[in-house]
Structures are given as structure tokens and as C-alpha cells.
Amino acid sequence: MDIFDIAKLAGVSRKTVQRVLNDSPQVRTETRERILKIMEEHQYQPNVSARRLVKKKTHTIGLFIIQDPGKDRIYSDDLFYSVVIGAVINACSLRGYKVLVTMAEVDNPSPVLKLYREKSIDAGIIISWSSVQSIVDEILSANFLVGVFDQNNLTHRTSSIPMPVLENEASAMEATRHLLQLGHEEIGIITGDQDNPAAVERLNGYQKALKEAGIRVKPEYIYTGRFVEESGRDAVHHWIRQGDLPSAIFCSNDHIAFGALKALKEAGRDVPRDVSLIGFDNILLTEYTSPALSTMNVPRVEMAVALVEELIQRVEGEPYETMSPFQATLVIRNSCLEKKA
Amino acid sequence: MDIFDIAKLAGVSRKTVQRVLNDSPQVRTETRERILKIMEEHQYQPNVSARRLVKKKTHTIGLFIIQDPGKDRIYSDDLFYSVVIGAVINACSLRGYKVLVTMAEVDNPSPVLKLYREKSIDAGIIISWSSVQSIVDEILSANFLVGVFDQNNLTHRTSSIPMPVLENEASAMEATRHLLQLGHEEIGIITGDQDNPAAVERLNGYQKALKEAGIRVKPEYIYTGRFVEESGRDAVHHWIRQGDLPSAIFCSNDHIAFGALKALKEAGRDVPRDVSLIGFDNILLTEYTSPALSTMNVPRVEMAVALVEELIQRVEGEPYETMSPFQATLVIRNSCLEKKA
DNA sequence: CTGAAAGCGCTTACAG
DNA sequence: CTGAAAGCGCTTACAG
């Protein structure tokens, strides 16, 4: 069943059928409807491969999940990106694009390049916990189009790569201000990996908020950790050992907050009565801990949608403007309380 | 840069290049290597659309995420399927297949049918929390190939649909036996939705295990719930109100167990000291609750891999055998303890 | 064993 | 406005 068969059945030329497919106006309504009915009856759908071959467009976006043996595996350990993946797929679909999902290892990006070269995709989006600078450089130097979801995956930004930007500093300020407003003055921070720009920016935001409130930044209250649970535990143990546990802690991500929460409980400290805890990211888990964790919600869906929008606009050669930066917003649950008198 | 250009550069006929692409033996090693080198230098990859057009094979599997407004949304609320999705993608990739991921609503499967009709995919796999019987029937009656991940999505099974089968009854028996072995005799069960076959099978397994141990099945200890947290809470509240709380509870899935855990805590009962709790599924959350939840691990990755294998074998017209059934295995964490003397 | 030709199912540019 | 032809980049069946 091809376009020619439809034409024969309808008693018109192939061209007329083509016009119907293209929503071209120059077909009489009557004829158009007859043709549409025949297509419907025969479940006709134009062959995608044939169309792609001549149009040189695939209407397909490659979603590259770049795994790193050393990090959380997206799709198994990871609780942050599944929402993003879903949002990307939905957003593409709304724009009439299909999504080809591929997993690749960070040190072997050749499957990704292959997809571009064999013309399976028009553009790609990278999701990863690692630096993907080298992959991106390769894609760019081959003159293909790629977007990156997370600004921390790249060491140098460039306008040629669509990428949503999260204002980490301002968001961290907001988290810290929340603790300040509850009357806390002894506020600690457990930072993320210091080679990660987001970690540094969040630390800066914390410091700014304290200064803004006229509170001295106490170096002892800055615990340099990594973006993992273990750092939360370590920090709490450290502070308890020093006999100087802050009354509120800003955890640079939710995983750190889980670690801190567990360690505090084990040490017989109640959250939030003895210590207030706030996280960052708002991963799904935060609703399930007890107490449920207050945190900063990263607008992952909006960021994903904006990324897809800009990428597709570029693919289609439409005018586009780079996305405006995103802010995380405070989600108040049950892990923060007013400072005890 | 097409196959003809490569041929010209190598000074051979197009046919010879073709032979190299097909790994055909009848090309002199010397010539083959020269051609391969030229392809490499020019980053040549045969155009996928052209090849598909003539081969009438896409080497692509459609992964259909069928959402239901009334249920958990896969990719946002769901903690069970992300592992499955990852496994499907990986397994396909190992077999040289691409994966086109599509979301559709349970009451509007037409985007799914379209993918088959326009020849974007060779076969599909359905992942869903709902019944997809009508979609599957439509696909089958149009003579396309589809696999279903979860046996509960279908009301009648048929050998024409590849589908991994989990032995719910035997697995539930094992969970119950674990509680029995810890010396518990007052063992309750919180069931899942009774219109869900898995829920019924798990209930049967629970009853069988008790009988096997010579313990009377006490109707009061069977709480008919649904596969959601709320049922866990409700059951605990109910039993406490009745003044007859079991000393151990088999929760028909992990979400129920979370609900039970929370309600028990709120009621001042310690898990596992006062009440032992075991779940089912082993979703990611189970490691994060306190105490961490003992549960039955559903071998989702193995099931996904087997499903992909069988599906691709069918696509390729290879001989295949239907998968053998799968068993959940006990994962012991910290939510079960020996019965107090 | 090699080469020239036809064909996959569309789209598009070009005559009539 | 309509129709016949060429072409997208491959593969395959068919002569030589």
C-alpha cells in the first residue's frame, strides 16, 4: 500500500494525494475527503524512510545517556534524571519529533557520532553525571547539533550549545535565607565536589546570604564534601566530634541531606527539633524520608522543555533566543523548624 | 559523501564497496583495507534511511510507555520501571537495535499504531501500570509484533505476545516463609488490588505458606487493600483499632510497606522490634527508608533482557522459545526481626 | 567474479 | 492547475 495505490483507488493522480498529505489548499474539499477516507480505510501512513531519504530530515532527536562507571547509573541508581528524560520525550513529541534513546559510556562516544553520520537523527541531547566536554567537542567539530541538559557537564560554555542554566548561587541564597528566617544563626553547609561549579556557586550563595543577614561566616561550619550521602554522614560525625553541631544545615544536594539525616538520627538528634535540614534538587526520595525533606526544587521539567524548544528551533532553522536562567524554588516539608529559644 | 564517492576514491566499483560493507569474503584483504581506510577518513556511514527503504527492516524497537491519568506516571512518580527501561535500551543496543521511546495515553494508542504503519519500527514493547489489552489487540489485529513487560497489563495471555512471567505465588510463599522462620505466627498480609492477578497470586502464596507451616489462616489478618501507600496506613490503623496487630506483616508491594512503616512509627510501634515488615518489588526506595526494608527482589533486568531477546528473535525470524518463569528473591535488610519471646 | 540496471516509496523541480 | 520524470542513497537480482 503506497501513495500510488491510494491515488489509483481514489481515481486521481499521485500528485493530488501528495497535496492532501501536505495539507496543500489546492484540492477540492470533496476530493480531499474522499482521499482521506481511503487512506483511513487502508490505514495508510507514508513510509518514513522514503520521506527521510529525500527530505534529508529525520524529525528525530537522539537522547544520549552518557554513563560513567564511577558515577550513579542513570536508569538504575539515579533519582534525578528520570523526570528529565520523560520531559524531553514529551516535549519532542509535542513538536512532532521522535526520540531515539541511546546509552553510551563516557569514554566511548562513537555510537553517538555514528547516529549523526548515518543520518538517524537531526540533533542530540546529552544527559550525564560526568564531564562530556570531549564528546561535545567531537560532535561540534563534525558540525552536528547537540544540547546539554546539565551545565556541570561542560567545562567551557559556548553559545553554540543549547543548555539550560540554573542560578545556583541565588537558589542557595534562598535556601539559606529560609533557615535564617526561622531564627537560626548557627548554620552549617555541607558542600558538593569542589571541582563542580554548582557546588562552588551554592557555597557562595550560602555565604552571601549569611553576610546579607549580618552573620559572620564561620569556617568551622563549612564542611567540604561531595554530592553523596556519605558526605552528609561524615559532616555530621565531624561536627559532633568537634562538639559544635550547627542548629541548621544547608545540604548542597538531597543525597547529602539523607546522609546527614541518618547520622543525626543515629546520634540521637531529632530532625527538625534539634537540627533543621534543607536539601537541594527535590528528587523523588525527599517525600519519603521521615521527616520529609525541605529542599530546593530544580525546575527540571521546565528546563528540559526549554532545551528541547531551543534545539528544535535551531534544527528547523527558526529564529531562537537562548533560554533565560532558571531559579530553584523553596519546597517546605518537615525538616526545618524555628530555632529553639 | 555516499557509497559511490567512496568507490571513486578507492578506484573500485560500487559493488566492491558494498561487499566490504557486507563483510563479504570475496574482496582481497589489501583492497578491503584500503576501502575501510577511506571510509574511516571520510567518516562515511551508510545512510540508514536508504538502507531501510530497500531492506524493509528498521532495526528499531518501539518502547511504548503507556500512561494512565489515574495511575503513577512512569518517568515521574514511578520508581519501578526506570530500571526496566534502561535494561530494555541496553539489551536492544547489544543486539544492534535502536530504541524509539514514545509516550502514549492508555485511551489514545494511535501514535503507537502510526509508528508501525509508517515503518518506523520492526516491533514494540509496552510498559504500563494499566491494562493495555485493547492496544495490544489492535496491534495484533494489524499483524504487528509487540511484547508486554508486565503480565498484569493483560487480561488474557497468548503465546503470540512475548511476555516475561513472574511466579507471584511462589515468591509470596518465600516472603511469608521468611517471617515464619523468624518465629512469627501472627502474620498479616496487606493485599494489592484484587482485580490485579498478581495481588491474588501473592495472597494465595501467603496462605499456602501458612498452611504449609501448620498455621491457621486468620481472616482478620488479611487486609484487602490496593497497591498504594495509603493501604499500608489504613491496614495498620485498622489492626490497631481492633486491638489485634500482627507481629509481622507481608506487604504485597513496597509502597504498601512504606505506608505501613509510617503508620506504625506514628503509632509509636518500632519496626522491626515490635512489628516485622516485608515488602515486594525491591524498588529503589527500599534502601532509603529507616529501617531499610526487607523485600522480594523482582528480577526486572533479567526479565527485560529475556523479553528483548525473544522479541528480536521473532523479528529476525529466528527460532525462539518462550521465556521460563521468573522468581523473586529475598533481600534481607533491617525491617524483620525474630519474634520476641 | 564483475558491472549496469532496476527498484524501495517518497518529494520536487520541470514541462505542458 | 496537472502529469511525467528525475532523484534521494542504498541493495539486489540479473546479465555478461
Side-chain angles (χ1 to χ4, degrees):
Chain A
M1 180 61 44
D2 67 10
I3 196 173
F4 195 70
D5 298 317
I6 299 290
K8 252 191 306 196
L9 286 168
V12 299
S13 81
R14 184 151 71 207
K15 181 67 194 173
T16 312
V17 178
Q18 196 72 259
R19 288 212 179 83
V20 172
L21 285 176
N22 295 342
D23 273 330
S24 161
Q26 35 194 343
V27 180
R28 268 186 304 168
T29 323
E30 197 183 294
T31 317
R32 173 190 306 276
E33 295 196 334
R34 184 158 43 90
I35 294 175
L36 283 175
K37 187 154 158 274
I38 292 174
M39 287 182 181
E40 180 61 34
E41 270 165 14
H42 293 79
Q43 310 276 35
Y44 169 75
Q45 285 288 347
N47 181 301
V48 153
S49 300
R51 179 175 275 173
R52 286 183 183 186
L53 185 56
V54 38
K55 288 267 215 175
K56 294 178 181 313
K57 277 258 310 167
T58 64
H59 276 265
T60 303
I61 301 292
L63 182 54
F64 312 134
I65 314 287
I66 308 292
Q67 305 276 21
D68 183 335
K71 309 270 172 95
D72 268 5
R73 301 227 104 210
I74 296 168
Y75 271 129
S76 52
D77 314 312
D78 168 71
L79 290 158
F80 183 79
Y81 283 127
S82 48
V83 178
V84 175
I85 296 172
V88 165
I89 295 172
N90 265 331
C92 287
S93 161
L94 283 176
R95 282 291 239 134
Y97 276 69
K98 302 184 207 308
V99 180
L100 208 54
V101 184
T102 306
M103 307 233 229
E105 299 290 325
V106 70
D107 49 5
N108 178 24
S110 60
V112 165
L113 269 299
K114 183 162 176 281
L115 288 178
Y116 285 102
R117 298 209 173 101
E118 70 185 21
K119 309 268 184 308
S120 280
I121 55 175
D122 294 334
I125 289 177
I126 291 183
I127 287 180
S128 177
W129 283 118
S130 310
S131 167
V132 295
Q133 190 70 51
S134 64
I135 302 179
V136 165
D137 289 343
E138 250 190 282
I139 296 174
L140 253 38
S141 76
N143 248 304
F144 297 123
L145 199 53
V146 69
V148 173
F149 180 76
D150 194 323
Q151 64 204 76
N152 296 301
N153 295 155
L154 251 37
T155 41
H156 18 274
R157 296 181 195 170
T158 138
S159 64
S160 58
I161 303 171
M163 181 172 71
V165 173
L166 181 71
E167 291 198 328
N168 281 294
E169 189 176 292
S171 305
M173 280 184 80
E174 193 176 335
T176 312
R177 278 199 208 106
H178 176 60
L179 299 173
L180 287 163
Q181 275 157 15
L182 290 169
H184 293 280
E185 302 198 336
E186 296 158 331
I187 301 178
I189 181 174
I190 308 172
T191 76
D193 313 51
Q194 287 301 298
D195 57 353
N196 182 316
V200 177
E201 293 163 26
R202 290 176 197 175
L203 174 57
N204 291 341
Y206 155 86
Q207 293 174 316
K208 274 201 182 172
L210 289 187
K211 277 178 199 147
E212 178 190 72
I215 292 179
R216 191 178 74 87
V217 175
K218 208 168 139 184
E220 294 81 12
Y221 281 170
I222 299 179
Y223 184 93
T224 305
R226 292 182 304 120
F227 278 127
V228 296
E229 239 185 281
E230 207 191 337
S231 289
R233 309 184 79 96
D234 291 348
V236 165
H237 291 152
H238 169 78
W239 280 321
I240 290 179
R241 224 182 300 117
Q242 301 290 314
D244 193 8
L245 185 65
S247 74
I249 305 174
F250 168 43
C251 304
S252 295
N253 79 357
D254 291 334
H255 285 284
I256 294 176
F258 297 135
L261 181 59
K262 282 189 193 168
L264 286 165
K265 269 192 198 169
E266 286 162 15
R269 312 296 174 112
D270 186 83
V271 176
R273 250 183 305 127
D274 301 325
V275 181
S276 287
L277 228 46
I278 189 166
F280 202 108
D281 278 351
N282 195 26
I283 63 178
L284 204 45
L285 272 178
T286 50
E287 300 180 40
Y288 288 89
T289 52
S290 57
L293 195 68
S294 293
T295 188
M296 298 302 295
N297 177 56
V298 175
R300 311 206 265 300
V301 171
E302 292 79 355
M303 290 165 76
V305 169
L307 174 57
V308 167
E309 279 301 321
E310 187 180 323
L311 192 69
I312 291 184
Q313 279 163 1
R314 293 201 192 199
V315 165
E316 309 227 313
E318 293 172 12
Y320 62 88
E321 22 185 296
T322 40
M323 298 160 254
S324 2
F326 293 85
Q327 273 264 8
T329 53
L330 182 62
V331 178
I332 299 181
R333 295 206 182 88
N334 310 316
S335 63
C336 298
L337 215 62
E338 278 199 31
K339 167 124 178 85
K340 289 184 285 191
Chain B
M1 180 60 46
D2 66 11
I3 198 173
F4 195 70
D5 297 318
I6 299 291
K8 253 191 307 197
L9 285 168
V12 298
S13 83
R14 185 150 71 204
K15 181 68 196 174
T16 311
V17 177
Q18 197 72 261
R19 290 214 177 83
V20 173
L21 285 177
N22 295 341
D23 273 331
S24 160
Q26 37 194 340
V27 180
R28 267 186 302 167
T29 323
E30 196 181 296
T31 317
R32 172 189 307 276
E33 296 197 333
R34 184 156 44 93
I35 294 174
L36 282 175
K37 188 154 159 272
I38 291 173
M39 288 183 180
E40 179 61 35
E41 270 165 16
H42 292 80
Q43 311 275 34
Y44 168 76
Q45 285 287 347
N47 180 302
V48 154
S49 300
R51 178 174 279 175
R52 286 183 183 185
L53 185 56
V54 39
K55 288 267 215 175
K56 298 181 179 310
K57 276 258 310 166
T58 65
H59 276 264
T60 303
I61 301 291
L63 183 54
F64 311 135
I65 315 286
I66 308 292
Q67 306 274 21
D68 183 336
K71 310 270 173 96
D72 268 6
R73 303 225 104 211
I74 296 167
Y75 270 129
S76 52
D77 315 311
D78 168 71
L79 290 158
F80 183 81
Y81 282 127
S82 50
V83 178
V84 175
I85 296 173
V88 166
I89 295 173
N90 265 332
C92 286
S93 161
L94 283 175
R95 282 290 240 135
Y97 276 69
K98 303 185 208 306
V99 179
L100 208 53
V101 184
T102 306
M103 308 233 230
E105 300 290 327
V106 70
D107 49 6
N108 178 23
S110 60
V112 164
L113 269 299
K114 183 162 177 281
L115 288 179
Y116 284 103
R117 300 211 171 99
E118 71 184 20
K119 309 270 183 306
S120 279
I121 55 176
D122 295 334
I125 289 177
I126 291 183
I127 287 180
S128 177
W129 283 117
S130 310
S131 166
V132 295
Q133 189 70 50
S134 63
I135 303 179
V136 164
D137 289 343
E138 250 190 282
I139 296 175
L140 251 39
S141 76
N143 248 305
F144 298 123
L145 200 53
V146 70
V148 173
F149 180 77
D150 194 322
Q151 64 205 74
N152 296 301
N153 295 155
L154 252 36
T155 42
H156 17 274
R157 296 181 194 170
T158 139
S159 65
S160 59
I161 303 170
M163 179 172 74
V165 173
L166 182 70
E167 292 199 327
N168 281 294
E169 189 176 292
S171 304
M173 280 184 80
E174 192 176 335
T176 312
R177 278 200 209 107
H178 177 58
L179 300 174
L180 287 164
Q181 275 156 17
L182 290 169
H184 292 279
E185 303 198 336
E186 297 157 330
I187 301 178
I189 181 174
I190 309 173
T191 76
D193 313 51
Q194 286 301 300
D195 57 352
N196 183 315
V200 177
E201 293 164 26
R202 289 175 199 177
L203 173 58
N204 292 341
Y206 155 86
Q207 292 174 316
K208 274 201 183 174
L210 289 188
K211 278 178 200 149
E212 177 189 72
I215 293 180
R216 191 177 74 87
V217 175
K218 205 169 141 183
E220 294 81 13
Y221 282 170
I222 298 178
Y223 184 93
T224 305
R226 292 183 304 120
F227 278 128
V228 297
E229 239 185 280
E230 208 190 336
S231 289
R233 310 183 78 96
D234 291 349
V236 165
H237 291 153
H238 168 78
W239 280 321
I240 290 180
R241 226 182 298 119
Q242 301 291 316
D244 192 10
L245 186 64
S247 74
I249 305 174
F250 168 42
C251 303
S252 295
N253 80 357
D254 291 333
H255 284 284
I256 294 177
F258 297 136
L261 181 59
K262 281 189 193 168
L264 286 166
K265 270 192 199 169
E266 285 162 17
R269 313 295 173 113
D270 186 83
V271 175
R273 250 183 305 126
D274 303 325
V275 180
S276 287
L277 228 47
I278 189 165
F280 202 108
D281 278 353
N282 195 25
I283 63 177
L284 205 45
L285 271 177
T286 52
E287 300 180 42
Y288 287 88
T289 53
S290 56
L293 194 68
S294 293
T295 189
M296 298 303 295
N297 177 56
V298 174
R300 314 206 264 299
V301 171
E302 292 78 357
M303 291 165 75
V305 169
L307 173 57
V308 167
E309 280 301 320
E310 187 181 324
L311 192 70
I312 292 185
Q313 278 162 1
R314 294 201 192 200
V315 166
E316 309 226 315
E318 293 172 12
Y320 63 88
E321 24 187 296
T322 40
M323 298 160 255
S324 2
F326 293 85
Q327 273 265 8
T329 52
L330 182 62
V331 178
I332 298 180
R333 296 208 180 86
N334 310 317
S335 64
C336 298
L337 215 61
E338 279 199 31
K339 166 123 180 85
K340 287 185 285 189

